[in-house]
Amino acid sequence: MSTNRRTFLKHIGLGAGVAATTPLMTSCSTASDEEKAKFIRESAERVPAMNFNMCGYAAPKLEKVRVGFVGIGDRGSGAVQRMTYIDGVEIVALCDVRQSAVDGAQKILADAGLPKAKEYVGSETEFKKLAADGICDLIYTATPWEWHVPVGIAAMEGGAHAALEVSAAKTMDECWQMVETSERTKKHCVILENCCYDFFELLTLNMVRQGVFGDLIHGEGAYIHDLDYWHFNKPQDEKMTDGAYYKMWRLHENTRQANVYPTHGLGPICQAMNINRGDKMDYLTAMISEDFTLKNRIEEKAKEDPFFEQFVGQKMRGNMDLQMIKTNKGRTILIQHDISSPRPYSRIHMLSGTKCFAQKWPLQHIAFGHNVVDDAKMKELEEKYTPEIVRRVGEMAKKVGGHGGMDFIMDWRLIDCLRNGLPVDMDVYDAAAWSCITPLSEWSIANGSKPIDIPDFTRGAWKTNKPVQPDFSAGGGNTKVRNLTDANAEGQLSV
């Protein structure tokens, strides 16, 4: 491959393994858009042979899970903190470009009475040394998005399971790289979609599994979050390493006309609809509004601080983008994304079935007809359908924290699965299917909202794959929680 072609692929966020076989999509506005759309579609149409079906795969049990962390900013340091509470975890490695970040994580370990971890500090590729050293069973990645897949690939190639913050991948090519590497190495590649473990989402998932909803018809999810403060919280040091986002990476990401962050809303719906395990997403169509705010905010900030002049004149993503998805079983999904409008936070999380309806935002309610249930009935439903995982660790999760506890439930469940040799709740096919909405929405938007097929990363196995039940019916649920003063002798809180 020529250097120019490789440089171009890197520039648009695609890997070097994409073949050029299909004609250019002529409805894009510029040659650059045409080339970008071409490579997105070519990679979406790949159908590599399945090496091994990772859905339902139970990796060998790990009595102790040796964990290494790559990227120790806001999310990464929170993950280190949460893992100190989980018995059976040894935090053995810390990796970041900043010594100060690693020092902060070492203090977290010391405060928890845990031994110091090995440090990997310096260049942006220090994670390769960590992976190659083979000291980790799990490498947990909370870097900027562009590094998620490179770190995950290095982890699996080095013999460790990979846990990737959301979104797991930015491009179609990266989605396939995750899938093919996970299948070949038989290492889990888990997308860390914490919203799948929020309390209402788990409640409604259990109700779906118990047949309360009847047949699911439609779902809606979103990430609507005014990130103005975080986008413009400029690092103050010369190396651009502090602030809300390292080197302002998230503001840079918002030059992309796509849903760059689809999984918070999509993940819980896909679990409820058994996507990749009895159903699959067939195709989507997407559209995006104009940018009514980001351009103006950048111009305002540039008048105050010359630093922001680099963003002036760039075409920023529109305020609201939407994806409409049709599944093979005839269900529909609507996903929304807006991070630049002044409006309240919402993930929506709505499920509509033939017998029941539920929605979380702006008010949490359930209905079996025209009217929502009253408080007494809501309490009755919660008592009956709160899943075992919440009964087992929910109160502990609230004490540990992390978005109200859902982050801790996610981490605890992952470790419990690895320690007990259980299939993980969110496998590499979920990571790929949920993340691919970004490039596919980009293609659809560039082509006048035309529909585009969503790849079947399971390559037909969705027809026979079985849903994972986080209810301990297959075992597990025995991982204790440490360093909580009111935990009982079995490592569980009294509830």
Side-chain angles (χ1 to χ4, degrees):
M1 177 178 291
S2 70
T3 301
N4 288 341
R5 177 176 167 83
R6 187 178 294 109
T7 301
F8 170 76
L9 289 170
K10 181 178 180 181
H11 176 71
I12 66 170
L14 292 174
V18 183
T21 57
T22 57
L24 287 172
M25 303 310 300
T26 57
S27 57
C28 298
S29 59
T30 68
S32 176
D33 288 340
E34 289 176 353
E35 287 294 297
K36 187 183 299 184
K38 168 188 173 183
F39 286 110
I40 291 170
R41 181 151 193 170
E42 286 173 353
S43 190
E45 292 174 344
R46 289 183 59 202
V47 188
M50 176 178 280
N51 187 291
F52 179 82
N53 187 358
M54 290 298 293
C55 185
Y57 172 65
K61 294 181 180 180
L62 296 168
E63 182 178 351
K64 294 288 185 181
V65 182
R66 301 170 300 165
V67 183
F69 289 90
V70 180
I72 312 175
D74 181 55
R75 286 296 292 165
S77 60
V80 173
Q81 180 81 55
R82 296 191 302 273
M83 283 289 187
T84 65
Y85 288 95
I86 303 177
D87 197 27
V89 168
E90 294 180 357
I91 299 174
V92 298
L94 300 169
C95 178
D96 199 283
V97 296
R98 304 157 294 184
Q99 183 64 54
S100 60
V102 171
D103 291 344
Q106 294 284 24
K107 184 178 186 305
I108 291 172
L109 300 184
D111 290 346
L114 300 176
K116 189 175 183 179
K118 186 173 182 179
E119 297 182 357
Y120 297 81
V121 185
S123 75
E124 291 182 326
T125 57
E126 283 293 306
F127 65 85
K128 293 183 179 180
K129 297 178 184 178
L130 186 162
D133 280 351
I135 63 173
C136 298
D137 302 305
L138 173 70
I139 294 179
Y140 195 114
T141 306
T143 62
W145 297 336
E146 66 179 303
W147 294 105
H148 287 183
V149 170
V151 176
I153 297 297
M156 291 183 282
E157 296 286 9
H161 301 296
L164 308 182
E165 267 291 357
V166 296
S167 289
K170 291 178 59 177
T171 72
M172 286 303 314
D173 216 36
E174 285 186 335
C175 289
W176 281 118
Q177 288 173 32
M178 289 191 301
V179 169
E180 292 178 278
T181 305
S182 180
E183 290 179 350
R184 176 169 48 80
T185 61
K186 293 186 180 180
K187 294 297 178 183
H188 293 303
C189 184
V190 177
I191 182 171
L192 294 167
E193 185 38 78
N194 55 344
C195 295
C196 291
Y197 295 91
D198 209 351
F199 294 84
F200 190 72
E201 284 83 337
L202 284 170
L203 173 70
T204 53
L205 175 63
N206 192 40
M207 291 174 67
V208 169
R209 298 276 172 89
Q210 297 298 321
V212 178
F213 278 79
D215 290 327
L216 280 181
I217 301 167
H218 177 68
E220 296 182 15
Y223 185 71
I224 297 171
H225 192 183
D226 183 1
L227 293 178
D228 184 84
Y229 168 78
W230 292 273
H231 279 147
F232 295 103
N233 184 4
K234 188 189 77 172
Q236 298 303 307
D237 67 325
E238 293 182 357
K239 295 183 179 180
M240 301 292 292
T241 59
D242 61 3
Y245 295 115
Y246 174 75
K247 293 185 178 180
M248 303 291 288
W249 66 266
R250 193 150 185 172
L251 189 56
H252 284 284
E253 292 284 358
N254 280 299
T255 60
R256 193 171 183 185
Q257 301 301 308
N259 184 340
V260 296
Y261 203 56
T263 70
H264 278 340
L266 182 62
I269 295 172
C270 285
Q271 286 193 323
M273 291 186 177
N274 290 334
I275 299 299
N276 295 330
R277 300 166 181 82
D279 199 357
K280 74 178 183 72
M281 295 185 287
D282 269 358
Y283 64 90
L284 69 75
T285 183
M287 67 174 60
I288 193 167
S289 76
E290 288 299 316
D291 168 26
F292 291 90
T293 56
L294 270 179
K295 176 185 176 183
N296 296 335
R297 287 289 289 130
I298 288 168
E299 291 175 351
E300 291 173 4
K301 297 294 291 186
K303 292 176 183 178
E304 304 170 3
D305 187 343
F307 169 82
F308 290 99
E309 290 178 358
Q310 63 181 300
F311 297 101
V312 173
Q314 291 194 42
K315 182 174 174 57
M316 306 302 289
R317 68 177 307 280
N319 289 66
M320 171 63 78
D321 67 73
L322 310 95
Q323 295 78 49
M324 294 183 291
I325 300 169
K326 187 74 173 289
T327 80
N328 187 268
K329 299 293 186 182
R331 303 180 176 106
T332 52
I333 303 172
L334 173 64
I335 301 298
Q336 301 180 38
H337 174 257
D338 185 343
I339 44 73
S340 53
S341 299
R343 54 181 294 185
Y345 179 90
S346 177
R347 297 198 310 272
I348 299 177
H349 185 62
M350 187 272 277
L351 295 172
S352 179
T354 56
K355 296 180 180 179
C356 183
F357 171 91
Q359 184 163 320
K360 182 170 184 176
W361 306 88
L363 297 174
Q364 184 171 294
H365 53 233
I366 292 173
F368 294 92
H370 191 268
N371 298 314
V372 300
V373 301
D374 59 21
D375 291 345
K377 181 62 175 179
M378 188 69 181
K379 184 177 181 180
E380 177 186 325
L381 292 171
E382 289 174 343
E383 290 176 350
K384 184 174 182 179
Y385 293 109
T386 291
E388 181 62 26
I389 190 170
V390 173
R391 300 184 192 278
R392 194 76 58 96
V393 298
E395 293 305 311
M396 292 186 288
K398 292 175 184 177
K399 291 182 179 294
V400 174
H403 288 98
M406 64 183 181
D407 293 359
F408 180 75
I409 296 177
M410 173 186 71
D411 292 338
W412 179 89
R413 171 64 174 171
L414 174 57
I415 295 300
D416 192 62
C417 287
L418 294 178
R419 292 187 66 246
N420 287 281
L422 298 173
V424 292
D425 297 335
M426 302 177 291
D427 59 36
V428 71
Y429 307 118
D430 302 313
W434 303 353
S435 298
C436 80
I437 301 305
T438 295
L440 296 185
S441 68
E442 186 174 28
W443 185 94
S444 181
I445 289 166
N447 284 275
S449 300
K450 290 183 179 178
I452 185 168
D453 290 343
I454 299 173
D456 173 17
F457 294 99
T458 75
R459 283 141 295 175
W462 64 270
K463 298 175 183 177
T464 54
N465 287 342
K466 302 300 182 184
V468 177
Q469 301 284 7
D471 59 3
F472 313 120
S473 59
N478 55 2
T479 296
K480 297 179 181 180
V481 175
R482 60 195 178 196
N483 293 336
L484 283 177
T485 57
D486 49 355
N488 66 21
E490 287 73 41
Q492 306 294 321
L493 286 179
S494 299
V495 293

